[in-house]
Amino acid sequence: MAASCFQSLYTVVGNRALDEVVPVLLVAMESSEGDQVARHRALNGLTGILSIRSKELLPYLVPRLLSKPMTKNHADALGSIASVTGGTIHLHFHSIISTLMSELSSFSGQDLDEEEEKREEAIRECARV
């Protein structure tokens, strides 16, 4: 339902819909660290939009999710969006794979605290997807 509403909005206002909605979802995904329900809703919104507008949105979204250091939420989001963007995400594999490998290599030989271990596991899980 939300994806079809977004599609209608996009039809009327074009790329402005992406510029207005997606940053809000990204902020909600990051600032909702303690609120898993809000984080899940923001991620669900992103995947819904990506299911209908992945070609337009991925060039905007992928660089933001790959910003270093990659957060646990960004790694989780990248893994989730891969499932709905199978027909277009391959265009971004070069940057995705190189960033994931770089992030994973930064953990090598390091004593990690609990938060960094969670971040490493999220990046490893994203790489498996």
Side-chain angles (χ1 to χ4, degrees), residues 9 13 57 59 99 103:
L9 178 65
V13 299
L57 184 54
T99 300
E103 288 288 314

PDB file of all heavy atoms in Angstrom, residues 9 13 57 59 99 103:
ATOM      1  N   LEU A   9       2.715   9.538  -5.777  1.00  0.00           N
ATOM      2  CA  LEU A   9       3.407  10.787  -5.481  1.00  0.00           C
ATOM      3  C   LEU A   9       4.528  11.035  -6.478  1.00  0.00           C
ATOM      4  O   LEU A   9       4.693  12.138  -6.993  1.00  0.00           O
ATOM      5  CB  LEU A   9       3.956  10.762  -4.047  1.00  0.00           C
ATOM      6  CG  LEU A   9       4.759  11.977  -3.601  1.00  0.00           C
ATOM      7  CD1 LEU A   9       3.871  13.219  -3.548  1.00  0.00           C
ATOM      8  CD2 LEU A   9       5.399  11.711  -2.244  1.00  0.00           C
ATOM      9  N   VAL A  13       5.089  14.416  -8.726  1.00  0.00           N
ATOM     10  CA  VAL A  13       6.162  15.383  -8.461  1.00  0.00           C
ATOM     11  C   VAL A  13       7.542  14.939  -8.933  1.00  0.00           C
ATOM     12  O   VAL A  13       8.503  15.697  -8.823  1.00  0.00           O
ATOM     13  CB  VAL A  13       6.217  15.769  -6.965  1.00  0.00           C
ATOM     14  CG1 VAL A  13       4.933  16.422  -6.531  1.00  0.00           C
ATOM     15  CG2 VAL A  13       6.571  14.601  -6.089  1.00  0.00           C
ATOM     16  N   LEU A  57      16.502   5.073  -7.433  1.00  0.00           N
ATOM     17  CA  LEU A  57      16.898   5.291  -6.044  1.00  0.00           C
ATOM     18  C   LEU A  57      18.265   4.713  -5.675  1.00  0.00           C
ATOM     19  O   LEU A  57      18.977   5.300  -4.864  1.00  0.00           O
ATOM     20  CB  LEU A  57      15.821   4.726  -5.106  1.00  0.00           C
ATOM     21  CG  LEU A  57      16.010   4.946  -3.614  1.00  0.00           C
ATOM     22  CD1 LEU A  57      16.199   6.423  -3.299  1.00  0.00           C
ATOM     23  CD2 LEU A  57      14.828   4.400  -2.859  1.00  0.00           C
ATOM     24  N   PRO A  59      21.244   4.643  -7.141  1.00  0.00           N
ATOM     25  CA  PRO A  59      22.409   5.539  -7.257  1.00  0.00           C
ATOM     26  C   PRO A  59      22.475   6.583  -6.142  1.00  0.00           C
ATOM     27  O   PRO A  59      23.553   7.061  -5.795  1.00  0.00           O
ATOM     28  CB  PRO A  59      22.211   6.213  -8.619  1.00  0.00           C
ATOM     29  CG  PRO A  59      21.352   5.287  -9.383  1.00  0.00           C
ATOM     30  CD  PRO A  59      20.440   4.645  -8.354  1.00  0.00           C
ATOM     31  N   THR A  99      33.729  -1.943  -0.698  1.00  0.00           N
ATOM     32  CA  THR A  99      33.515  -1.330   0.613  1.00  0.00           C
ATOM     33  C   THR A  99      33.359  -2.387   1.704  1.00  0.00           C
ATOM     34  O   THR A  99      33.937  -2.261   2.789  1.00  0.00           O
ATOM     35  CB  THR A  99      32.284  -0.410   0.598  1.00  0.00           C
ATOM     36  OG1 THR A  99      32.489   0.609  -0.375  1.00  0.00           O
ATOM     37  CG2 THR A  99      32.049   0.220   1.955  1.00  0.00           C
ATOM     38  N   GLU A 103      35.862  -2.760   4.846  1.00  0.00           N
ATOM     39  CA  GLU A 103      35.351  -2.698   6.223  1.00  0.00           C
ATOM     40  C   GLU A 103      35.729  -3.960   7.002  1.00  0.00           C
ATOM     41  O   GLU A 103      36.149  -3.888   8.150  1.00  0.00           O
ATOM     42  CB  GLU A 103      33.837  -2.504   6.231  1.00  0.00           C
ATOM     43  CG  GLU A 103      33.390  -1.127   5.811  1.00  0.00           C
ATOM     44  CD  GLU A 103      33.674  -0.070   6.855  1.00  0.00           C
ATOM     45  OE1 GLU A 103      33.399  -0.283   8.043  1.00  0.00           O
ATOM     46  OE2 GLU A 103      34.192   0.991   6.465  1.00  0.00           O
TER      47      GLU A 103
END
